[in-house]
Amino acid sequence: QLLYARAKSVKRSSQPRAEAGEGVAAANGLPCRGKVLNLDNMNPNVRRVEYAVRGAIVQRALQIDKELKEGVKKPFTEVIKANIGDAHAMGQKPITFLRQVLALCAYPDLLDDNKFPDDSKQRARRILEACGGHSIGAYSSSQGIECIRQDVARYIEKRDDGISSDPDNIYLATGASDAIVTMLKLLVCGKGRDRTGVMISIPQYPLYSAALADLAAVQINYYLDEDKCWSLDIAELKRAVTAARQHCNPRVICIINPGNPTGQVQSRQCIEDVIRFAKEEHLFLMADEVYQDNVYAEGCKFHSFKRVLFEMGPEYSTTVEMASFHSTSKCYMGECGFRGGYMEVINMDPEVKAQLTKLVSVRLCPPVPGQALLDLVVNPPQPDEPSYDKFMKERTAVLAALAEKAGLTEQIFNTVPGITCNPVQGAMYTFPRITLPQKAIDKAKVPDMFYCMKLLEEEGICLVPGSGFGQREGTFHFRMTILPPTEKLKFVLQKISDFHIRFTQEFS
Amino acid sequence: QLLYARAKSVKRSSQPRAEAGEGVAAANGLPCRGKVLNLDNMNPNVRRVEYAVRGAIVQRALQIDKELKEGVKKPFTEVIKANIGDAHAMGQKPITFLRQVLALCAYPDLLDDNKFPDDSKQRARRILEACGGHSIGAYSSSQGIECIRQDVARYIEKRDDGISSDPDNIYLATGASDAIVTMLKLLVCGKGRDRTGVMISIPQYPLYSAALADLAAVQINYYLDEDKCWSLDIAELKRAVTAARQHCNPRVICIINPGNPTGQVQSRQCIEDVIRFAKEEHLFLMADEVYQDNVYAEGCKFHSFKRVLFEMGPEYSTTVEMASFHSTSKCYMGECGFRGGYMEVINMDPEVKAQLTKLVSVRLCPPVPGQALLDLVVNPPQPDEPSYDKFMKERTAVLAALAEKAGLTEQIFNTVPGITCNPVQGAMYTFPRITLPQKAIDKAKVPDMFYCMKLLEEEGICLVPGSGFGQREGTFHFRMTILPPTEKLKFVLQKISDFHIRFTQEFS
């Protein structure tokens, strides 16, 4: 008889629970040993991971979807998923040029078809020539196809008014998420008080907290100032890093600009201050800039961290280590399903870069269709090319509609007593503050989750509670995308407003 | 003045080296602090990762490629990359049906085009209907598009002669690599002697050792029997697990069938024995079956672990926990660039499954074009459909050519004194044993690396040294793909044979 003393000695989680699988019949007469893999002996870091954007509320929304399809009667006929920045799912049409080139890359026989404009064919040919065997079905180099990395570098140079960018510093990735997690993974080391600490904004995009849990890194919260339009305050960064030095080794600061879920666009001055702070505190700077084209508010402008860094002179531009992230999932294209993205690393130790290249090679390469798409995004039709007019028209229409919806959202929410909403300066979300009646707060374990779940059940609108992003204690919020088509967005805003008033009355 | 005592106290690696970045000028007058991120303070697990398939030899091959383009004279005109199973890069043409449907999905305007057969349009319509906003640019559910998971389940049922498969147990992924790493991540826990041990074959596919290094899990080697055609011996598994229990907690056994890099196809009996072993030793079974269509040798047949498990009766089929992996990158399609794949989990604790679903949601979803491609692979044209004949013709041609090349490879290598080659029963590689002269062994730090590097420099042929996969001490091998077109393969085999004889003479 075999004994499995070790497997049984695995520490129990603090909350007592029935042993998973303990009841399984032992048909072979061996002692009943339960599952090899159960909740108590799985990777504890994975257990700690949370990802609200696809959490309990979204699970319930999918269930309700099914119930509706099965004919269950509800006070609504569809679930509107305003929980995630998924533009196409909300009805935004793909940009014609992008999809033409992708179709040509997938099925090159179409290159003989005179339906396709010449510039789309020329782009497809160029991408195919850079692929092994001229097929997007071949693996690319692990860092990404070289000519695409060159195009990315040229795009960055143009964006940053000529500040040079080296294709060797560009790493293509499976969406920005992949690049962010990879970068964090490189940076995490140490044990106990020496464990790497990573500063993230609160509210944050929960990819960050999830990755930090997975890596068992220390999350250092710095709070954005809701009263000042979610702006970032250097004094708060100093407070956070100083406190954190007592129990970990702060090595990284993450910034999301334009902000997710908060929609603020950082001023040039603020970015300068952050860079100075990163240098003073000896921190690696991670700039999540996936919403760089999504700036709507008057007087706001996107400033890339890299550009500001270089404009601050060699004292900074030659020393501050940085990575900037971009994606094909947001901006005007919203091509989330292709999982395209890149990061640019700056001032990275060449030996670490070699390690990074080695690390990404284990996964072989990012999806090549996503790389091809990224190439088109960074190298769009030029004014003298046949696809230019249509491309610009489509692009402008998407961004103009988003700008209109950003304004509409702020305006309507701010008419509702108990909802306060900062301007949506950029990105794709609003993160309004909601005042909840004390009775509701007392009743619910997580009041904003309770609120959002009730909204989902009663109105079929799926939002994410603020607690999934982090918020100052005692305040409550939700995140909503501004992506539904204008008329539907108006409908959603009205429904939420009505619900809020009803909710407030019910629990007063 | 700030002090960074903690950052400086990070332990040095055992080999002394110059501090990276220490020489950077401190323009601001602060003490010179070196890089935030350098080789000494980066994630030590990442440093330990190795991935030979894209290692030093391949880096050099890319360099030589560049040199050739720049006009440098070499004894050859191109580098032949036989290091990686990248079929399209070796000239294999994509399967028409797959690419037609993908083009239709990318650019649905083509659905009006009468150039495309009806079944490809019908498939594209079905996939698009299952996508958010009918666009492959929308995120899918994190586990993968539901109707594709249903198709995968039906494919598995058909493959396994009716043994049922639940779409809820299917997780689509970014290639099989992604699913394998995710599964390993779930399974790793414990510290010191309680650390999770994972049994892998030697030789192995280095994704496994890389992932285990990254997760700081304990790698437990079991050796395949080269003299018996790389077969797996249960006594060797017992030896390995028993020895490992002294210093870790063995919880997982990984099997690759058909074998990579070794090309063996396991017998039904062997699979039964492995399953019995996994049950007795209370191990989670990971079955890497990405080469399931690549079986060439007379008398060999692919048996899925799941099917054998279920045929062994409820004592096994209701208890042994298992995950099986498949991919769009291999078999007859070879669509590596799309990063499509799936895993099926069996007997997994429902609470762990919920954790798995949560974990994959952090990365949002696998690339949707890869999911669409997978759908076509598991649901190919049927005999009554217009694309059937062409599809079957293309599929059969690829597999027949691979079978021919498998035979050719074994045959030619075995004529060379000092090269011994097992039959390539399946998969895409040969892993011949090479006898190296003692002088070469004495001269080189890693003799088979030295051999492969010399071959690359002299003949422009890129192989991977056996040391990258693991081999019994004192034996030497290389891995070569059988993917080059037949005539080129003959050329490569001849070149290697000549080189081997020359090398042997040179160092005798």
Side-chain angles (χ1 to χ4, degrees), chain A residues 276-304:
Chain A
R276 206 165 284 124
F277 171 81
K279 183 171 172 68
E280 274 169 20
E281 301 288 342
H282 207 48
L283 302 173
F284 193 101
L285 179 55
M286 289 176 56
D288 179 341
E289 300 178 318
V290 302
Y291 298 98
Q292 54 192 267
D293 290 338
N294 297 104
V295 175
Y296 317 117
E298 274 305 307
C300 284
K301 205 188 144 198
F302 171 74
H303 303 273
S304 81

Side-chain angles (χ1 to χ4, degrees), chain A residues 61-367:
Chain A
L62 294 174
Q63 236 172 5
I64 294 178
D65 253 345
K66 273 198 182 170
E67 290 170 19
L68 284 171
K69 267 181 204 152
E70 290 159 2
V72 178
K73 284 249 163 99
K74 302 268 177 192
F76 46 85
T77 55
E78 63 160 342
V79 178
I80 299 173
K81 296 193 195 69
N83 59 295
I84 189 164
D86 190 357
H88 291 198
M90 279 291 145
Q92 184 182 310
K93 291 281 157 277
I95 303 287
T96 305
F97 175 76
L98 305 183
R99 295 307 195 89
Q100 283 179 334
V101 181
L102 288 168
L104 289 162
C105 288
Y107 188 48
D109 283 18
L110 293 170
L111 286 166
D112 301 326
D113 196 318
N114 52 23
K115 258 190 219 149
F116 290 85
D118 281 345
D119 52 348
S120 64
K121 289 184 186 178
Q122 176 264 326
R123 289 291 201 295
R125 279 202 192 90
R126 181 160 173 273
I127 291 166
L128 289 171
E129 266 159 36
C131 291
H134 298 182
S135 166
I136 56 169
Y139 291 121
S140 76
S141 96
S142 301
Q143 201 173 341
I145 293 172
E146 190 169 357
C147 85
I148 299 181
R149 288 189 285 114
Q150 286 165 354
D151 288 349
V152 169
R154 272 198 293 266
Y155 159 84
I156 293 170
E157 286 177 355
K158 201 173 155 194
R159 181 196 70 188
D160 293 342
D161 263 351
I163 292 162
S164 88
S165 171
D166 181 348
D168 272 352
N169 288 340
I170 309 294
Y171 288 77
L172 306 193
T174 309
S177 301
D178 174 42
I180 290 168
V181 171
T182 300
M183 198 57 237
L184 286 171
K185 179 181 277 183
L186 278 184
L187 279 154
V188 170
C189 75
K191 293 210 187 306
R193 280 193 52 181
D194 280 332
R195 191 72 184 158
T196 292
V198 178
M199 303 185 71
I200 64 172
S201 63
I202 298 293
Q204 54 122 8
Y205 174 54
L207 167 69
Y208 290 91
S209 51
L212 297 180
D214 188 356
L215 293 164
V218 180
Q219 175 178 325
I220 305 171
N221 296 336
Y222 65 87
Y223 289 84
L224 301 176
D225 189 345
E226 182 164 16
D227 296 335
K228 291 188 182 152
C229 209
W230 295 116
S231 67
L232 189 155
D233 175 27
I234 299 297
E236 166 61 10
L237 293 185
K238 290 227 164 101
R239 178 207 62 74
V241 79
T242 307
R245 286 200 196 280
Q246 305 306 311
H247 60 92
C248 71
N249 179 15
R251 300 181 65 202
V252 194
I253 179 166
C254 301
I255 306 278
I256 312 175
N257 178 50
N260 175 6
T262 39
Q264 84 284 14
V265 176
Q266 291 185 341
S267 68
R268 200 187 172 293
Q269 182 59 50
C270 173
I271 292 170
E272 249 193 72
D273 292 345
V274 169
I275 292 170
R276 206 165 284 124
F277 171 81
K279 183 171 172 68
E280 274 169 20
E281 301 288 342
H282 207 48
L283 302 173
F284 193 101
L285 179 55
M286 289 176 56
D288 179 341
E289 300 178 318
V290 302
Y291 298 98
Q292 54 192 267
D293 290 338
N294 297 104
V295 175
Y296 317 117
E298 274 305 307
C300 284
K301 205 188 144 198
F302 171 74
H303 303 273
S304 81
F305 267 80
K306 184 186 176 194
R307 181 182 182 155
V308 177
L309 177 70
F310 277 72
E311 289 174 353
M312 287 167 76
E315 182 185 342
Y316 293 91
S317 67
T318 63
T319 60
V320 174
E321 294 151 71
M322 198 190 109
S324 159
F325 305 89
H326 196 17
S327 165
T328 57
S329 303
K330 311 297 168 189
C331 301
Y332 64 92
M333 50 282 181
E335 295 276 12
C336 314
F338 280 82
R339 315 308 298 119
Y342 75 80
M343 68 172 159
E344 181 185 30
V345 296
I346 292 149
N347 291 323
M348 183 180 267
D349 185 324
E351 290 179 307
V352 174
K353 248 181 77 177
Q355 294 286 324
L356 169 59
T357 305
K358 177 191 74 176
L359 180 63
V360 296
S361 78
V362 178
R363 296 293 188 93
L364 297 162
C365 70

Side-chain angles (χ1 to χ4, degrees), chain A residues 4 6 17 20 280 349 351, chain B residues 4 17 20 248 280 349 351:
Chain A
Y4 293 90
R6 173 136 352 128
R17 45 180 293 282
E280 274 169 20
D349 185 324
E351 290 179 307
Chain B
Y4 292 91
R17 45 180 292 285
C248 71
E280 275 169 18
D349 185 323
E351 290 179 309

Side-chain angles (χ1 to χ4, degrees), chain B residues 149 152-154 156-157 162-167 169-170 306 344:
Chain B
R149 288 189 285 113
V152 169
R154 272 199 293 267
I156 293 170
E157 286 177 355
I163 292 163
S164 86
S165 171
D166 182 349
N169 287 339
I170 309 294
K306 184 187 176 195
E344 181 185 23

